[in-house]
Amino acid sequence: PKVISEMSLKKAAIGAIPAAAIASPAFAMDSIVEALPSTSVALEVQFGAYLAILLGTFLPCLFLVNLFIQTESRKAGRAGGQDSE
């Protein structure tokens, strides 16, 4: 008898799940503002984002500075400097 009562409770709980889903309203929140993330969560930034911004800024800048220095030194070499041909 004990096993039968446990099975009937399980069946009743399983049978109540669809009824509870149908009986509850589709949008049961008081306001949309409660569903939005808080400001502390919304302002969190991952470390990878900082890394991407820093590398995306400094690597092209370093490349351009290096390119400028190279071209100026080649111009100086052609004009007659220490390494002129």
Side-chain angles (χ1 to χ4, degrees):
K2 199 173 199 181
V3 174
I4 295 171
S5 66
E6 288 177 11
M7 289 300 290
S8 63
L9 287 176
K10 286 182 184 178
K11 285 183 182 179
I14 291 172
I17 291 173
I22 293 170
S24 65
F27 193 72
M29 282 186 273
D30 292 336
S31 69
I32 296 175
V33 177
E34 293 175 0
L36 295 174
S38 64
T39 32
S40 62
V41 174
L43 296 177
E44 287 180 5
V45 180
Q46 296 177 356
F47 176 73
Y50 286 118
L51 192 64
I53 295 297
L54 290 174
L55 291 178
T57 302
F58 288 123
L59 288 179
C61 288
L62 290 175
F63 170 75
L64 291 173
V65 167
N66 189 13
L67 188 65
F68 174 75
I69 290 172
Q70 248 184 351
T71 55
E72 289 298 315
S73 66
R74 286 184 183 176
K75 281 183 192 176
R78 283 192 202 118
Q82 182 179 354
D83 296 330
S84 64
E85 295 174 7

